[in-house]
Structure formats: C-alpha cells, structure tokens
Amino acid sequence: MAKARVSRAGDVAELVISAPPLNLFDGQMIADLVAALDELSALAREGAARAVLLRAEGKVFCAGVDVHEFQGLGQAQGAVLMARFLALVQTLERLPVPTIAVVHALNLTIGFELCLGCDLMWAAEDASFGLVEATVGLTPGGGGTQRLVARAGVARAAELVMTGDVYPAAEMYQWGVVNRLLPAAALLEQARAFAARLAAGPTVATAVGKRLLQAARDHGVAAADAVTPREAGQVFATRDLAAGLTSLLEHGPRQATFEGR
C-alpha cells in the first residue's frame, strides 16, 4: 500500500502522507512521494489541479526519518540521501499553484521541511514542530534550514537547528513560520475551504506571483524587480484578466469567475 497518495476534490488536489503510526520517511515513502509529486505536477500543468493541500493521517504528522535509513551510510551515500530529501521539497515548491501544508500534530525533520516547501502553513493549536537532527548528530538536509531563515530569520532558524528542540505551533505562529493557528477540530475543514478559494482564483497570475516571491526570497528585491515586467506581462494574455476586468466594470469588485486560463 502506498505511503503517499493524491486525492482530488474539484480543483483542489491533496497530497496525503499515510504510513501510521509515525509516518516515518523510508525508501518506500520517498518513492511514493516522488510518484505523487509527479502526478501533482502533471495535474497542475494540465489545469486539473489549481491548488494543493498537503496533509497527513494518523496521530502525528511526521516523526521524522526511519533511523535505519542512516545506518551504514558513508559520506557520499549520505549526500545522495539528503539530495533525495531536498528534491522532494524543491518539487513541491516548484508547483505552479498555491500550496498549503496542514499540520495537525507533531511534525519533525523531513516532515517539517516538506511543509516549508509549501507557500502557506496552517497548524492545529496543539501541533508542534522540530528540526531535531542535532539530537542524533545530524543536521537538516532537506532544505529546512534555509527555508526557516527565509520565514523566521537567521537567529530563530539557528536556535531550531542547533538545539534540536521541539517548539509549539503557537511559537511558530509568532515567528511567522505558521500562517494560521486553529483548533484541531476545525483545522482541516477550514483549510480545505481556503484551498478551494485559492483554486478558484486566477491561476496564471498566481503562478507569476509565486515566481516573483521566490525570486525575491532567493535573490533579493533588485533581482525580482528585474524580472517583474516580463513575468507580470504574461498575465495580460490570459482570459482570466479579461473576465476580471469585465466583471469589475459590470458587477463591482470580487465578483469575477476565473477559469485558470
């Protein structure tokens, strides 16, 4: 049985991690996630998925990596494994549609890093997060360090990476890592509604917005400025913009219906 799968509800696709009880990452989990992300990439390219929600089933979101995956690895093999983890995060990050991670419980190491590859992160009030690799002599290899820097700053990222401590969702919310903090009972329903709202938006414009956000994060404001005219100009060729302008003139703001084209 697959440890990761894709399900769909209208224009929203869900990437579901399901390997109870701990949702540990092992070779099969990585392979199943690669297949699921390939499927999501195809759906997004075809316009069949206009938003993606990442969630997990079970008592925890992710308890990290199965430690058996690390045993006996040398430097070169360790680098290969870290590259596989990082590729998962990068593939999720490159999806040209809005992505939302929905964290309902404990979320450690690569599970946390995967969520940091999403545009937005929502969490239950009793969820918790950690990059705990330091407790076994490792350092995060799935891109979590640098993505935490982008969200929370160097000093706070350093604290997580160097201590290996676990932090409550409320603290991650205060630091700007988590976008929304909700009671556990309401989390998934509200996140799904929000994902559906994003999926109903102007898909091409959203994809352009994502590329500009990533350019600013990775290369700074000047670099983002340099590509903004070319990127933003693409939106003028879309049917969504024409429909949006007509709707604004005829019916007022926020009444437009978008096709994603």
Side-chain angles (χ1 to χ4, degrees):
M1 185 174 181
K3 294 186 175 184
R5 67 180 190 274
V6 175
S7 63
R8 293 173 59 191
D11 289 328
V12 177
E14 294 189 4
L15 174 56
V16 185
I17 295 171
S18 183
L22 298 177
N23 291 326
L24 293 174
F25 275 56
D26 58 12
Q28 183 187 339
M29 175 71 84
I30 295 170
D32 291 345
L33 277 168
V34 168
L37 286 165
D38 286 346
E39 181 180 351
L40 285 174
S41 297
L43 290 170
R45 286 195 305 269
E46 296 161 4
R50 293 170 60 190
V52 170
L53 187 149
L54 168 64
R55 65 180 179 89
E57 296 177 335
K59 292 184 178 180
V60 303
F61 187 96
C62 177
V65 181
D66 185 335
V67 295
H68 295 94
E69 296 296 315
F70 298 130
Q71 289 182 320
L73 296 185
Q75 182 175 340
Q77 294 167 312
V80 169
L81 181 60
M82 295 300 103
R84 294 181 72 193
F85 288 148
L86 182 57
L88 295 174
V89 177
Q90 291 172 326
T91 303
L92 180 58
E93 199 168 48
R94 284 195 294 264
L95 291 175
V97 296
T99 53
I100 308 170
V102 183
V103 181
H104 68 285
L106 178 69
N107 189 13
L108 302 178
T109 69
I110 184 57
F112 188 12
E113 292 178 297
L114 196 64
C115 290
L116 288 166
C118 290
D119 301 313
L120 305 170
M121 197 184 314
W122 288 29
E125 292 170 340
D126 56 353
S128 53
F129 298 83
L131 295 176
V132 300
E133 287 88 344
T135 64
V136 295
L138 287 168
T139 194
T145 299
Q146 48 270 42
R147 284 162 181 80
L148 268 177
V149 168
R151 291 184 184 231
V154 173
R156 285 169 170 163
E159 184 178 327
L160 268 85
V161 171
M162 293 179 182
T163 65
D165 288 345
V166 177
Y167 294 76
E171 196 156 7
M172 294 294 96
Y173 176 72
Q174 292 169 359
W175 289 5
V177 177
V178 168
N179 294 84
R180 301 281 180 92
L181 198 61
L182 294 169
L187 177 64
L188 185 55
E189 180 181 0
Q190 291 196 29
R192 281 173 166 162
F194 189 76
R197 172 188 168 189
L198 295 181
T203 308
V204 176
T206 299
V208 169
K210 283 190 62 163
R211 291 196 294 271
L212 293 177
L213 285 165
Q214 290 170 359
R217 182 197 69 181
D218 296 341
H219 306 292
V221 172
D225 283 350
V227 299
T228 291
R230 182 186 74 243
E231 291 283 2
Q234 298 175 40
V235 180
F236 286 85
T238 64
R239 295 206 301 245
D240 280 346
L241 176 59
L245 295 175
T246 298
S247 177
L248 177 64
L249 292 171
E250 295 180 356
H251 306 292
R254 295 188 175 273
Q255 302 299 315
T257 299
F258 297 113
E259 301 176 20
R261 293 183 173 86

